């Protein structure tokens, strides 16, 4: 299906004649639609929600804690206004979406019988407090029923009143840990007197919670805290703080009970937040808290990852509202921490060489400086005095050359002499630089050998490939082992003995929740009639290409191969290419076994020069014809080579490439070759397989009328712009996709270019954007305009549900209206989540009929009861077979549904689509439109010019991205144009 790169100068215009309606009648209709739940979110209200969000009480994770969209309990008070009013767009005529109208000289349209003209400015869409997510239409019945266990533990709702108090500490404290120390001292001193025997729970910031009221509404306390950094025998610093505690509100637990029983739609997020904080209070004191997880080297022995890093085991904990009532979700977690080594040993590991006697190079200094900046160290040369400092830099000179003034007369003393005279400490490794601590104006020098890294500091930078491999080995757990560890964690946490849980009247079960599930059947797949097997029924989520041929095999006549691996000889590369050609032919492609030019070998640092040489040589041999495919052999560890190659080929040369790693070239595996053949076929415009039901037009709410299925995602590079893609499926087979990508503001989750307008001096107001372009592409490919839209949106956390739905559904509406008056096909908007902590386990791990080879639940297992939302339309679907570790089901949440899907309808459609992923013969864990969108977004990150200095210093395989910003503004550099022959296949990688 053709793909259009978004360019302003390629905009095509329409003339449209609006349907003549009485404006009052339209308003009445819109109000009626609202009452029926049909009105979409609108265009002009969300600024208020955004402002309200920013004006809410300060809390770092407020939106996240609020759970589903940060929704408050009063959100049903304001009526919702529809956005699907008829609009007249100022554009010229076009055949894709024909309409009637008479163009006039100024570029607008003539309206024969009256009508309203409304501006289609983008703006920020509306947010309505009355917006309701789609209610659950019922429970699914399809599939084979079974029982699974979930890592959810029933939490009994307390009967006590929950009270919130505001905490103000003066002078202001930034550190949560210090805040907690101050409050712990206050409770210790005043619990039996001023606090009336209450044991409060504290969030470390501004909020204090109690079960029952305190004996006052407002009171001031003076608390003295002794600094811990000065050790046992040294002088201890004491500081006094003023703490004011003031009553704020009482949480309504009756409201929470009503919500859990499905009698009201709004979750009282404040009550849920209080209960969550209460259950986290004890663990916060015992463990290192990171987000919603807790880590400790005592839970399991830390595992070394190399270069001074180690993996700590921990657990995730969150209270959630579910159909079974309150549920405590517990899962195992892992995080990377800096190993608490002496600094000199740490840098030896970091550099991977002897530093005790060798002089450091400039590149060594840069690497050490980046690794240690911001890291907290403690001194070891003062006996029991273990004062802590945060590293700010590294000296450019070795320790033996460092001197500093010791008095106002500028008398100088060397660092070596000072430590010897002051502490009796002899610095041995004077060739090493010193650590700088403090600010630049008043920096102190600390010898490396006198410092040790403080335990419990999380490492948040990018890991290298070896570290990632080591981490995966540590975190990969079989389902049975993970289940046992979760149960052991719950028993060790002993919630029945938790004084805070007891204070607030919360009781936690120690048994995993048993949940009714169903195993949906796999769909039949259609292959080419010339193969021995014309169709196929996957078994346990997988199948193979034996005796089958691609339903639409492509043709590869002109190809070449370039080898960037020094260890691969030309004869080996030639043998690999021959084997791949044979596999492509066997699979149903027409593949020329001979390359256009001999295999060309090149060095990775000359990637651009080598690629252009191959292109020119092939073009000369073909007398002007272009290469269709370039095979690329890469070293196993290739740094930024892969990204550079894709960027050059896809945005400059217009080459479709297929990369293969050296290890696969040497060890030729039939399954690997078959998977590469599948990728080459779709890149060259073929199709591997389709759903038999799609061919037979038997897919409910898809086959009956032209339906476009979108997938959308946003990827967040570590620096610079984000790439947001939108992918759309061809109809009726829904296995072939078109895609677009765009760059947008850094860390912006909303996709900005779904729809946009701009002013052209000649054409006036011009409309564009990814949704609009893909609708036009669909029309060109199928001959029909979409009459139904299904939108799978990936990469959205619960706290962003409202914002994303309001903004992006509004953009879909505007994109449709810009093509034809009153063109508003019904939309189903589904959030896809993989970053959650719900795990499903077989009820009996010994029952081989209920698990796959890895011990995981069977593919097709769907759950929409008990652990799901009390009233909204969500479900968990494990659509894939596990390979290693514990399978993570995808969580699908239908936020908006104008197509009136049944539970079985959307669950079966989603499961069936997971068998259409083009790159392998397995069902995948996420619905393919969203999967492709994720791949497209990740690919687009390579299209930005890499910052070579950052690449070289981090050693990562992905280029960082540089944002271009003007003075006082946040600029977004657009992605370079992708060549036409690459656009349709870039997301197949």
């Amino acid at each position: 299906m053709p793909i259009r790169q978004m360019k302003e100068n390629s905009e095509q215009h329409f003339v449209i004649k609006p349907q003549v309606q009485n404006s009052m009648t339209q308003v009445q209709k819109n109000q009626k639609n609202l009452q029926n739940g049909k009105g979409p979110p609108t265009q002009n209200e969300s600024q208020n929600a955004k402002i309200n969000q920013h004006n809410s009480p300060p809390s770092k994770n407020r939106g996240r804690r609020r759970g589903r969209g940060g929704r408050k309990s009063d959100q049903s008070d304001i009526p919702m206004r529809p956005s699907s009013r008829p609009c007249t767009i100022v554009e010229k005529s076009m055949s894709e979406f024909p309409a009637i109208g008479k163009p006039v000289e100024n570029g607008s349209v003539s309206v024969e019988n009256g009508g309203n003209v409304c501006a289609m400015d983008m703006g920020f869409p509306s947010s309505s407090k009355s917006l309701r997510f789609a209610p659950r239409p019922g429970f699914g019945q399809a599939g084979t029923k079974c029982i699974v266990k979930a890592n959810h533990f029933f939490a009994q709702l307390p009967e006590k009143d929950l009270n919130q108090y505001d905490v103000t500490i003066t002078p202001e404290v930034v550190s949560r840990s210090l805040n907690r120390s101050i409050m712990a001292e206050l409770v210790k001193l005043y619990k039996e007197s001023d606090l009336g025997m209450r044991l409060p729970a504290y969030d470390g910031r501004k909020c204090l919670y109690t079960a029952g009221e305190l004996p006052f509404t407002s009171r001031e306390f003076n608390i003295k805290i002794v600094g811990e950094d000065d050790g046992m025998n040294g002088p201890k610093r004491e500081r006094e703080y003023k703490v004011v505690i003031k009553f704020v509100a009482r949480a309504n637990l009756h409201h929470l009970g009503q919500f859990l029983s499905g009698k009201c739609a709004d979750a009282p997020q404040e009550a849920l937040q209080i209960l969550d904080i209460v259950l986290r209070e004890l663990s916060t004191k015992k463990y290192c808290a990171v987000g919603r997880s807790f880590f400790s080297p005592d839970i399991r022995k830390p595992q070394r990852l190399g270069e001074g890093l180690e993996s700590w085991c921990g657990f995730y904990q969150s209270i959630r509202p579910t159909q079974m009532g309150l549920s405590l979700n517990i899962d195992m977690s892992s995080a990377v921490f800096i190993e608490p080594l002496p600094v000199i040993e740490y840098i030896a590991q970091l550099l991977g060489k002897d530093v005790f006697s060798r002089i450091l190079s400039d590149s060594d200094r840069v690497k050490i400086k980046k690794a240690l900046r911001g890291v907290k160290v403690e001194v070891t040369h003062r006996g029991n005095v273990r004062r802590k400092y945060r590293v700010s830099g590294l000296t450019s000179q070795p320790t033996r050359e460092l001197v500093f003034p010791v008095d106002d007369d500028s008398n100088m003393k060397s660092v070596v002499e000072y430590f010897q005279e002051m502490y009796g400490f002899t610095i041995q490794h004077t060739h090493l630089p010193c650590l700088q601590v403090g600010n630049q104006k008043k920096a102190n020098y600390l010898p490396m050998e006198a410092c040790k890294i403080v335990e419990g500091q999380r490492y948040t930078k990018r890991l290298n490939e070896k570290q990632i491999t080591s981490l995966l080995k540590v975190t990969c757990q079989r389902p049975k082992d993970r289940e046992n560890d979760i149960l052991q964690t719950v028993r060790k946490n002993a919630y029945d003995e938790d004084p805070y849980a007891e204070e607030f009247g919360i009781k936690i079960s120690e048994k995993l929740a048993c949940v009714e599930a169903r195993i949906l059947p796999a769909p039949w797949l259609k292959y080419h009639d010339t193969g021995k097997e014309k169709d196929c029924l996957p078994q346990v989520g997988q199948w193979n290409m034996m005796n089958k041929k691609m339903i639409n095999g492509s043709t590869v006549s002109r190809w070449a191969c370039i080898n960037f691996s020094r260890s691969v000889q030309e004869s080996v590369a030639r043998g690999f290419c021959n084997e791949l050609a044979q596999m492509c032919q066997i699979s149903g492609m027409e593949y020329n076994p001979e390359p256009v030019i001999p295999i060309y070998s090149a060095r990775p640092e000359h990637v651009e020069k080598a690629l252009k040489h191959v292109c020119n040589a092939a073009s000369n041999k073909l007398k002007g014809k272009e290469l269709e495919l370039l095979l690329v052999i890469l070293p196993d560890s290739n740094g930024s080579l892969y990204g550079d190659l894709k960027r050059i080929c896809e945005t400059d040369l217009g080459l479709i490439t297929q990369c293969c790693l050296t290890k696969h070239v040497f060890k030729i595996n039939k399954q690997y070759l078959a998977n590469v053949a599948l990728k080459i076929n779709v890149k060259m415009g073929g199709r591997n397989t389709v759903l038999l039901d799609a061919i037979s037009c038997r897919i409910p709410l898809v086959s009956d009328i032209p339906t476009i299925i979108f997938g959308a995602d946003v990827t967040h590079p570590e620096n610079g712009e984000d790439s947001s893609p939108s992918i759309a499926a061809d109809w009726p087979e829904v296995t072939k996709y078109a895609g677009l990508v765009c760059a947008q503001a850094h860390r912006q989750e909303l996709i900005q270019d779904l729809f946009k307008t701009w002013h052209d001096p000649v054409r006036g107001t011009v409309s564009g954007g990814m949704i609009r372009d893909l609708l036009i592409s669909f029309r060109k490919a199928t001959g029909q305009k979409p009459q139904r839209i299904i939108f799978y949106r990936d990469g959205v956390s619960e706290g962003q549900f409202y914002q994303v739905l309001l903004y992006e559904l509004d953009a879909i509406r505007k994109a449709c209206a810009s093509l034809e008056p009153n063109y508003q096909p019904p939309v189903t908007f589904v959030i896809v989540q993989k970053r959650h902590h719900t795990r499903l386990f077989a009820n009996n791990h010994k029952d081989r009929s209920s698990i796959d080879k890895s011990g995981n639940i069977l593919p097709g297992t769907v759950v929409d009861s008990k652990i799901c939302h009390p009233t909204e339309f969500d479900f968990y679907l494990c659509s894939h077979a596990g390979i290693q570790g514990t399978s993570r089901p995808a969580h699908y949440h239908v936020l908006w549904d104008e197509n009136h899907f049944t539970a079985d309808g959307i669950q079966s459609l989603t499961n069936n689509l997971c068998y259409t992923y083009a790159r392998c013969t397995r069902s995948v864990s996420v619905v393919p439109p969203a999967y492709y969108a994720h791949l497209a977004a990740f690919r687009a990150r390579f299209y930005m010019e890499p910052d070579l200095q950052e690449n070289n210093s981090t050693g990562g395989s992905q280029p960082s991205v540089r944002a271009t910003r003007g003075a006082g503004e946040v600029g977004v550099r657009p992605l370079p144009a992708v060549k036409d022959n690459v656009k349709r296949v870039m997301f197949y990688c």
Side-chain angles (χ1 to χ4, degrees):
M1 179 174 176
I3 307 171
R4 295 177 53 210
Q5 181 76 13
M6 297 193 311
K7 292 183 181 178
E8 295 184 7
N9 59 9
S10 66
E11 179 63 33
Q12 294 173 291
H13 292 261
F14 303 93
V15 172
I16 59 178
K17 175 183 174 184
Q19 181 178 348
V20 181
Q21 293 185 8
N22 180 282
S23 59
M24 192 65 185
T25 305
Q26 182 62 30
V27 171
Q28 292 169 350
K29 283 186 177 181
N30 287 338
Q31 290 175 342
K32 185 176 181 181
N33 283 344
L34 282 178
Q35 294 169 1
N36 294 333
K38 295 180 181 178
T42 62
Q43 173 184 344
N44 303 315
E45 298 166 5
S46 72
Q47 289 285 14
N48 295 333
K50 194 173 183 182
I51 292 170
N52 291 339
Q53 204 173 29
H54 288 298
N55 290 339
S56 12
S59 175
K60 188 174 182 181
N61 296 316
R62 185 171 185 89
R64 197 173 298 164
R65 279 203 219 101
R66 284 194 179 282
R68 306 188 182 276
R71 180 174 35 165
K72 296 183 180 179
S73 58
D74 62 350
Q75 285 187 316
S76 60
D77 299 333
I78 300 177
M80 182 172 65
R81 298 186 304 183
S83 66
S84 56
R85 59 189 185 282
C87 295
T88 302
I89 312 304
V90 182
E91 296 181 342
K92 297 179 184 177
S93 184
M94 177 182 174
S95 60
E96 275 78 4
F97 288 80
I100 302 171
K102 297 179 182 179
V104 293
E105 291 182 2
N106 64 1
S108 64
V109 298
S110 66
V111 183
E112 294 185 352
N113 292 314
N116 297 324
V117 177
C118 66
M120 295 297 291
D121 61 314
M122 192 60 186
F124 197 90
S126 66
S127 165
S128 170
K129 287 190 175 182
S130 69
L131 174 64
R132 303 286 188 195
F133 294 151
R136 190 179 302 281
F139 296 95
Q141 302 297 322
T144 304
K145 292 184 179 181
C146 64
I147 299 293
V148 296
K149 289 178 287 187
N151 58 336
H152 285 246
F153 299 84
F154 177 70
Q156 185 175 320
L157 192 65
E159 297 178 355
K160 299 184 179 183
D161 291 333
L162 304 183
N163 296 271
Q164 178 180 341
Y165 293 82
D166 180 74
V167 175
T168 304
I169 299 176
T170 310
E172 185 177 353
V173 176
V174 176
S175 166
R176 276 197 178 192
S177 61
L178 181 53
N179 277 339
R180 291 184 185 280
S181 297
I182 294 168
M183 194 56 62
E185 184 69 14
L186 188 152
V187 172
K188 177 182 175 183
L189 294 174
Y190 297 103
K191 178 183 176 183
E192 296 182 2
S193 55
D194 296 56
L195 299 183
M197 295 300 293
R198 302 289 184 202
L199 181 62
Y202 178 49
D203 71 351
R205 293 292 186 200
K206 294 284 292 179
C207 296
L208 189 77
Y209 304 103
T210 62
E213 295 180 351
L214 294 175
F216 56 82
T217 56
S218 179
R219 184 155 300 180
E220 180 180 311
F221 301 87
N222 291 310
I223 304 297
K224 293 180 180 179
I225 294 292
V226 177
E228 61 175 18
D229 291 347
D230 292 321
M232 297 169 58
N233 301 323
K236 297 183 179 181
R237 295 178 299 173
E238 188 175 76
R239 191 158 190 186
E240 186 171 326
Y241 296 91
K242 183 175 74 174
V243 181
V244 177
I245 299 176
K246 186 183 295 184
F247 176 77
V248 175
R250 184 174 292 109
N252 188 342
L253 286 183
H254 174 72
H255 187 176
L256 178 57
Q258 293 288 97
F259 170 74
L260 293 172
S261 62
K263 294 177 181 177
C264 73
D266 289 317
Q269 295 295 338
E270 286 77 8
L272 288 169
Q273 179 176 315
I274 294 172
L275 298 176
D276 197 53
I277 290 171
V278 168
L279 288 173
R280 296 170 61 80
E281 185 73 23
L282 191 61
S283 294
T284 301
K285 297 179 187 297
K286 292 166 56 179
Y287 304 116
C288 175
V290 179
R292 290 187 175 274
S293 296
F294 299 96
F295 299 94
S296 171
D298 299 327
I299 294 177
R300 188 185 298 158
K301 184 180 178 182
Q303 299 293 312
R304 284 191 165 185
L305 303 178
E307 297 189 13
L309 302 182
E310 61 183 12
S311 169
W312 284 18
C313 182
F315 64 94
Y316 168 92
Q317 173 180 303
S318 176
I319 195 119
R320 302 186 62 81
T322 65
Q323 293 171 30
M324 69 178 184
L326 279 182
S327 162
L328 189 65
N329 183 201
I330 301 285
D331 191 24
M332 304 313 296
S333 296
S334 289
V336 179
F337 287 79
I338 303 173
E339 196 172 350
L341 297 168
V343 169
I344 198 166
E345 291 184 25
Y346 172 78
I347 65 168
Q349 282 199 31
L350 179 71
L351 301 177
K353 60 185 180 184
D354 172 34
V355 296
F356 294 92
S357 57
R358 296 176 59 178
I359 301 294
L360 297 179
S361 66
D362 289 341
S363 61
D364 289 339
R365 291 174 186 271
V366 171
K367 190 170 185 180
I368 294 169
K369 186 177 179 179
K370 286 196 172 187
L372 287 177
R373 183 182 292 154
V375 173
K376 192 179 284 188
V377 297
E378 60 183 6
V379 296
T380 59
H381 65 286
R382 297 177 62 185
N384 291 326
V385 178
R386 290 293 179 115
R387 192 161 185 178
K388 297 173 184 175
Y389 300 89
R390 199 171 291 277
V391 178
S392 58
L394 202 66
T395 61
S396 57
Q397 298 168 289
T399 303
R400 60 181 170 232
E401 297 177 13
L402 290 172
V403 294
F404 63 95
V406 292
D407 52 35
D408 295 336
D409 296 329
S410 297
N411 291 315
M412 308 300 285
K413 182 172 287 190
S414 73
V415 170
V416 174
E417 291 173 344
Y418 176 81
F419 273 83
Q420 182 65 55
E421 294 174 8
M422 190 71 179
Y423 305 111
F425 181 79
T426 303
I427 301 174
Q428 302 290 334
H429 307 290
T430 58
H431 65 287
L432 294 174
C434 276
L435 301 178
Q436 287 179 305
V437 296
N439 54 44
Q440 291 182 348
K441 292 182 180 179
K442 189 180 179 181
N444 293 318
Y445 300 143
L446 290 178
M448 286 187 178
E449 61 197 89
C451 298
K452 180 185 178 183
I453 293 172
V454 175
E455 186 180 63
Q457 297 182 78
R458 192 182 174 211
Y459 183 82
T460 58
K461 298 172 186 175
R462 183 187 300 150
L463 302 178
N464 61 38
E465 290 182 10
K466 288 184 179 179
Q467 290 167 335
I468 292 172
T469 302
S470 299
L471 182 62
L472 290 175
K473 287 180 181 178
V474 173
T475 58
C476 185
Q477 278 187 299
R478 291 295 187 191
K480 186 177 180 180
D481 297 331
R482 193 182 195 97
E483 179 185 330
N484 289 336
D485 279 357
I486 290 170
L487 288 169
Q488 185 177 344
T489 298
V490 173
R491 287 192 290 267
K492 188 174 181 180
N493 288 347
Y495 295 103
D496 57 335
E497 299 174 8
D498 183 340
Y500 295 94
E502 184 179 354
E503 171 82 8
F504 284 78
I506 305 172
K507 295 181 180 179
I508 307 295
S509 169
E510 291 190 351
K511 294 182 179 180
L512 291 160
C514 286
V515 186
E516 291 184 0
R518 290 167 289 114
I519 302 172
L520 301 178
W524 280 88
L525 303 177
K526 181 73 175 72
Y527 281 91
H528 200 276
D529 289 340
T530 58
K532 291 183 179 179
E533 295 183 22
K534 300 177 183 179
D535 47 42
C536 164
L537 181 63
Q539 300 296 319
V540 197
Q542 51 194 318
W543 64 103
N544 57 52
M545 287 295 294
M546 289 180 60
N547 300 322
K548 305 176 190 69
K549 291 193 174 182
M550 301 155 176
I551 193 164
N552 293 119
S554 60
T555 299
V556 179
S557 302
R558 305 183 297 276
W559 64 276
C561 177
I562 187 168
N563 175 21
F564 287 106
S565 177
R566 292 183 182 180
S567 59
V568 176
Q569 301 299 320
E570 183 179 350
S571 59
V572 176
R574 191 165 54 246
F576 174 79
C577 290
N578 289 337
E579 292 283 348
L580 180 58
Q582 289 180 33
M583 179 59 72
C584 289
Q585 292 168 349
I586 292 170
S587 300
M589 296 174 61
E590 292 185 22
Y591 196 102
N592 184 352
E594 293 298 322
V596 171
I597 58 173
I599 294 172
Y600 183 75
S601 296
R603 297 168 66 93
E605 57 267 29
H606 300 149
V607 56
E608 187 166 7
K609 181 180 177 181
L611 290 169
K612 289 182 176 179
H613 170 80
V614 169
C615 278
N616 292 333
S619 181
N620 292 335
K621 184 75 177 288
L622 295 168
K623 297 180 180 179
K625 291 183 179 180
E626 300 292 332
L627 271 180
E628 294 171 333
L629 176 68
L630 179 65
L631 296 179
V632 185
I633 298 173
L634 298 177
D636 292 332
S637 297
N638 53 72
S640 63
L641 175 60
Y642 178 83
D644 292 340
L645 184 142
K646 291 295 184 180
R647 172 174 51 82
I648 295 165
C649 288
E650 296 173 359
T651 66
D652 185 14
L653 302 178
L655 270 179
I656 294 174
T657 56
Q658 177 58 55
C659 296
C660 304
L661 293 177
T662 297
K663 60 184 178 182
H664 297 304
V665 173
F666 278 118
K667 186 181 178 181
I668 298 177
N669 178 280
K670 293 293 184 182
Q671 184 62 56
Y672 172 76
L673 292 176
N675 285 344
V676 174
L678 294 175
K679 293 174 69 174
I680 290 175
N681 188 49
V682 291
K683 288 180 181 182
M684 299 305 298
R687 289 184 304 172
N688 296 331
T689 185
V690 295
L691 296 172
L692 191 61
D693 281 352
I695 295 290
S696 308
C697 296
R698 292 197 302 260
I699 302 180
L701 294 181
V702 173
S703 300
D704 54 341
I705 59 175
T707 301
I708 188 167
I709 302 178
F710 286 100
D713 190 17
V714 172
T715 185
H716 297 292
E718 293 185 8
N719 300 291
E721 293 90 345
D722 302 340
S723 301
S724 57
S726 190
I727 302 292
D730 202 346
W731 178 85
E733 285 83 4
V734 295
T735 56
K736 196 173 180 183
Y737 293 79
L740 291 172
V741 294
C742 68
Q744 62 181 47
H746 183 50
R747 294 298 172 195
Q748 172 61 258
E749 183 57 52
L750 303 175
I751 301 178
Q752 300 298 297
D753 281 348
L754 288 181
F755 177 78
K756 61 180 180 178
T757 60
W758 62 93
H759 180 75
D760 184 271
V762 177
R763 296 175 292 173
T765 301
V766 181
S767 300
M770 292 190 289
I771 294 291
R772 191 175 190 274
D773 288 356
L774 289 170
L775 290 170
I776 293 172
S777 293
F778 183 97
R779 175 67 175 81
K780 287 180 177 178
T782 66
Q784 302 181 67
K785 63 185 179 185
Q787 295 298 323
R788 180 185 290 119
I789 293 176
I790 301 171
F791 196 92
Y792 285 101
R793 177 64 157 92
D794 198 1
V796 182
S797 65
E798 289 182 344
Q800 298 167 320
F801 280 7
Y802 273 95
Q803 191 181 17
V804 168
L805 175 64
L806 285 163
Y807 189 93
E808 296 181 7
L809 184 55
D810 189 57
I812 295 170
R813 291 292 186 221
K814 290 174 179 175
C816 294
S818 73
L819 295 170
E820 188 176 299
N822 301 316
Y823 172 55
Q824 292 294 341
V827 178
T828 296
F829 195 104
V830 186
I831 297 290
V832 187
Q833 289 178 303
K834 281 286 281 184
R835 292 186 176 183
H836 61 82
H837 286 269
T838 292
R839 299 291 186 273
L840 302 176
F841 304 102
N843 190 43
N844 181 1
H845 291 284
K846 295 180 180 179
D847 181 6
R848 294 296 175 185
S849 64
S850 65
I851 57 175
D852 61 20
K853 291 180 181 178
S854 65
N856 280 288
I857 56 175
L858 295 172
T861 301
V862 63
V863 170
D864 61 2
S865 63
K866 201 164 184 178
I867 60 170
C868 293
H869 193 276
T871 58
E872 293 170 9
F873 192 2
D874 71 327
F875 59 93
Y876 291 94
L877 172 63
C878 183
S879 52
H880 66 297
I883 298 177
Q884 59 180 355
T886 304
S887 297
R888 189 199 311 248
H891 185 214
Y892 296 91
H893 202 124
V894 183
L895 299 189
W896 196 260
D897 184 25
E898 295 170 332
N899 289 299
H900 306 297
F901 273 99
T902 63
D904 281 333
I906 194 69
Q907 290 167 13
S908 295
L909 170 64
T910 303
N911 185 59
N912 290 353
L913 287 175
C914 290
Y915 285 80
T916 65
Y917 186 62
R919 288 155 39 107
C920 62
T921 53
R922 299 176 66 94
S923 59
V924 289
S925 61
V926 173
V927 67
Y931 204 145
Y932 290 139
H934 173 77
L935 293 176
F938 196 81
R939 166 58 55 81
R941 292 165 63 170
F942 295 135
Y943 293 165
M944 310 305 291
E945 287 288 342
D947 184 335
L948 297 178
Q949 183 179 357
E950 180 71 12
N951 266 351
N952 292 337
S953 62
T954 60
S957 61
Q958 312 302 338
S960 64
V961 182
R962 293 174 295 185
T964 54
R965 305 180 195 280
E969 66 177 357
V970 179
V972 178
R973 184 175 61 191
L975 289 171
V978 181
K979 296 297 181 180
D980 288 340
N981 63 322
V982 176
K983 292 176 191 174
R984 70 182 186 276
V985 298
M986 58 169 286
F987 47 87
Y988 290 123
C989 292

